[in-house]
Amino acid sequence: MLDHFLLNVLLLLAIYSLFIYIFNKVMRKWLKVEKKKVFSYTHVNHKHKKIDWMIRITFLLLIIISTTINIMRMQKGLEKLWFLETYVILFIFIIVTETARALMERKYAENRNDYKFTIVQLVFISVLLFLTYSTNFFWLV
């Protein structure tokens, strides 16, 4: 049972990674955008770095507070609040950070297509994550 589950998770991650890789490759060629390092932590400028850290700290505090609230609710026999679940907050975090990146790229980046790529990538990944979750991980898990 556990082997079947792990195999399905690995298959899902492999397919997901392949979709994102192909999508990024095609969109980068089409929009003529430079490839950034994998898992890079780059900012457009110092202002973007400050904003990004403010967003990160805010969401970290939000995760701590929301987890505490949901644990307290469960101890009282109440249901957890779905909008305070960690995965929901992380999804919103991704949207907010990438939107901030797109706004900073639009305003300050040398290549005018950088922000377009960021927005299109954000929409693609959001749709893929939503489909994955709403279909119960494409019925694999």
Side-chain angles (χ1 to χ4, degrees):
M1 182 75 167
L2 185 60
D3 292 337
H4 181 69
F5 173 76
L6 290 176
L7 184 62
N8 285 342
V9 168
L10 288 175
L11 178 65
L12 181 67
L13 286 174
I15 292 169
Y16 190 75
S17 298
L18 183 65
F19 277 149
I20 290 175
Y21 174 79
I22 292 170
F23 176 81
N24 285 346
K25 192 95 163 152
V26 169
M27 290 306 296
R28 285 193 189 284
K29 282 190 179 190
W30 187 48
L31 291 173
K32 296 176 181 80
V33 174
E34 287 182 25
K35 183 180 182 199
K36 294 179 178 100
K37 294 177 185 174
V38 178
F39 300 115
S40 68
Y41 188 68
T42 57
H43 294 99
V44 177
N45 57 21
H46 188 68
K47 185 177 182 180
H48 179 220
K49 187 176 184 176
K50 281 184 177 180
I51 291 170
D52 188 57
W53 272 104
M54 287 181 354
I55 292 169
R56 288 172 185 271
I57 291 169
T58 301
F59 273 88
L60 178 64
L61 293 173
L62 187 60
I63 285 175
I64 292 169
I65 292 167
S66 65
T67 302
T68 305
I69 290 171
N70 271 340
I71 288 171
M72 288 172 34
R73 286 181 60 85
M74 286 177 53
Q75 287 175 345
K76 293 179 183 177
L78 301 171
E79 288 187 29
K80 293 192 230 176
L81 299 172
W82 67 269
F83 54 88
L84 295 180
E85 290 286 345
T86 304
Y87 62 88
V88 173
I89 294 172
L90 287 175
F91 184 71
I92 295 168
F93 169 74
I94 291 169
I95 292 171
V96 171
T97 55
E98 291 304 303
T99 301
R101 170 178 292 284
L103 290 172
M104 296 306 283
E105 286 174 344
R106 183 168 192 246
K107 213 171 192 183
Y108 300 110
E110 293 176 17
N111 187 347
R112 296 293 295 161
N113 288 334
D114 279 346
Y115 84 96
K116 293 176 187 175
F117 174 75
T118 301
I119 290 171
V120 170
Q121 183 183 38
L122 175 61
V123 170
F124 178 75
I125 291 172
S126 296
V127 167
L128 202 53
L129 282 173
F130 179 75
L131 283 173
T132 303
Y133 180 75
S134 65
T135 61
N136 198 19
F137 296 90
F138 294 109
W139 307 282
L140 290 174
V141 181

